[in-house]
Amino acid sequence: MTKEVRTRYAPSPTGYMHIGNLRSAIFEYLAARINGGKFILRIEDTDQARIVEGAVEVIYRTLKTIGIRHDEGPDIGGGYGPYVQSERKDIYLPHALQLVETGHAYYCFCTRDRLDALRSEAEARGVQYKYDRHCLGMPVQDILRRIKDGEDYVIRQKAPDSGTTSFHDEVYGDITVNNENLEDQILIKSDGFPTYNFANVIDDHTMNITHILRGSEYLSSTPKFIHLYEAFGWELPVFAHLPLVIKSDGSKISKRNGDAMFDDMIREGYLPEAILNYTVLLGWSPGDEREFFTLAELEKEFTLKGISKSPSTLDYDKLKWMNGEYIRKMPPDEFAAIAEPWISKGLAGENLDIGKIAHMIQKRVVLLGEIPDSIGFLVNAGPVDPSLYENYKMKCDAGLAQEILPMALKALSGLSEWSHDSIYNSMAAAAAAAGMKNGQVMWPVRIALTALAVTPGGAVEIAEIIGKEETLSRIRSAIKQLEA
Ligand code: GLU
């Protein structure tokens, strides 16, 4: 029987979630789903000093918004709990003691002063600091006495100091490192807490994790993890390290700088489906030209082989474009519902038909956050700059607008019914009567109604939305401005 695939997303609640964190979560989730396995959420809070209040809630909320469900986790439990490291404290020390017994770890009583001196000395010699194993081989009775005397101690791993360590990474291939530079890392700190590196390995093993996907910043620590697995005689999981996500200036995205935060993206009006789709393409490709994927499709198509090792650049233009495409594909009712708060904000209390506005802008908007500003003209249109009437293709300019606008005004004033079709037909008839193309009439009317070169809708849609009275009044004042 093949082993059940179990993956985990193991965030440290040290800040908000950026797109790199989110990518780890999504890839771990997909790696479980494509294999019919389990996806586990584990909170890694060993570094209590770095915990940021509210960060755990952000993690839950983000996963939920994106549509990722975990099968086990702090909130829903499971057979391998607890799922929060600070609640697993009792699990780590016995494991460390087991390594002491088998000679893979040892007690160290070195004081901070001594370690600082070692560090300064290494620095002065221009060599990399490495603990000098002063406490390795200490007689048991000395250890017991010093513990009894209340001296502070840590437990260190005895790492190999010669030879090489080789391992396979699903993304980076076969990797071999020299053991010479490996440090005897601390496993249990003097306060009894495990170090991050130790807790991470113990948890992955005791939670039966089979596949570990995480940022490539952990690649260099992997030999240390591997030595722990080996010291315990445990089977190694599959490792897949994910490429860096960099900004367009080449720098790494970072939590500390508040880069590429998921919450900010939602606030700016990116759709969760678009963020999900875009994030998956940061370092993964289906092996063909396709770019659009729903979560359900990814659950069937994702492969570790599709992950690339070259850094992926976070390209907001592409994300925006993709967001626009998602908006275009939405059923109109659904779009109207999500656009409603943004439209209301843009209307600032003005009572216009939100459904019609949503219908108009769905064809052009790329970011929900741009909606309020982009529809401000519906409420207030400033004086029209005469140069806006110039349009080479429509052969229009301010002079021609002076002829066309009164014509349009006349046609529209006569309408008893104010609908998209009636507005369109009356302007088309006016154009035909004057021997002009429809566009030649629509263009100056749209400029007169909006005072803008670019608007998220055409003359007819805008006229319908702002209503007859306002349409006529705006055309009248545009005519006056041209006469002045
Ligand atoms: N707690 C680590 C982080 O938030 C996760 C590392 C891992 O997945 O092993 O970056």
Side-chain angles (χ1 to χ4, degrees), residues 8-14 21 24 28 42-44 85 196 200 204 212-215 217-218 225 255:
R8 88 297 193 269
Y9 175 49
S12 305
T14 55
N21 306 132
S24 296
E28 296 260 12
R42 179 173 80 225
I43 302 296
E44 300 206 319
Q85 282 186 331
Y196 171 72
N200 181 272
D204 281 338
I212 294 179
L213 283 78
R214 62 176 157 225
E217 64 272 25
Y218 288 95
F225 298 142
K255 261 189 202 174

Side-chain angles (χ1 to χ4, degrees), residues 81-238:
Y83 292 91
V84 179
Q85 282 186 331
S86 56
E87 292 167 22
R88 297 172 63 79
K89 267 191 309 206
D90 298 344
I91 298 174
Y92 307 116
L93 186 61
H95 279 97
L97 295 178
Q98 184 185 333
L99 291 186
V100 172
E101 247 162 61
T102 56
H104 291 99
Y106 59 94
Y107 286 88
C108 169
F109 295 88
C110 288
T111 59
R112 179 164 296 273
D113 286 350
R114 178 167 192 280
L115 297 175
D116 284 348
L118 277 183
R119 213 166 262 128
S120 313
E121 197 191 307
E123 222 165 80
R125 284 194 292 134
V127 294
Q128 200 190 323
Y129 162 77
K130 198 175 152 179
Y131 176 62
D132 64 355
R133 294 194 156 170
H134 180 72
C135 292
L136 178 64
M138 188 181 291
V140 178
Q141 59 274 29
D142 287 2
I143 296 173
L144 293 177
R145 178 182 48 76
R146 293 176 78 159
I147 294 177
K148 203 163 147 245
D149 289 350
E151 271 189 57
D152 275 350
Y153 64 89
V154 299
I155 297 179
R156 285 184 188 270
Q157 178 185 9
K158 183 175 169 249
D161 54 359
S162 61
T164 56
T165 303
S166 298
F167 64 97
H168 181 75
D169 184 272
E170 289 295 311
V171 177
Y172 287 82
D174 292 323
I175 296 180
T176 298
V177 295
N178 277 323
N179 292 337
E180 218 176 312
N181 296 327
L182 286 183
E183 234 235 306
D184 282 356
Q185 63 172 338
I186 295 175
L187 305 178
I188 301 287
K189 298 184 274 191
S190 56
D191 60 5
F193 270 91
T195 52
Y196 171 72
N197 282 351
F198 190 53
N200 181 272
V201 169
I202 301 299
D203 289 345
D204 281 338
H205 175 76
T206 54
M207 292 183 175
N208 266 353
I209 301 301
T210 57
H211 291 63
I212 294 179
L213 283 78
R214 62 176 157 225
S216 57
E217 64 272 25
Y218 288 95
L219 197 54
S220 60
S221 304
T222 304
K224 294 186 199 172
F225 298 142
I226 286 179
H227 287 301
L228 284 172
Y229 277 95
E230 283 173 352
F232 283 111
W234 292 340
E235 193 185 334
L236 283 181
V238 172

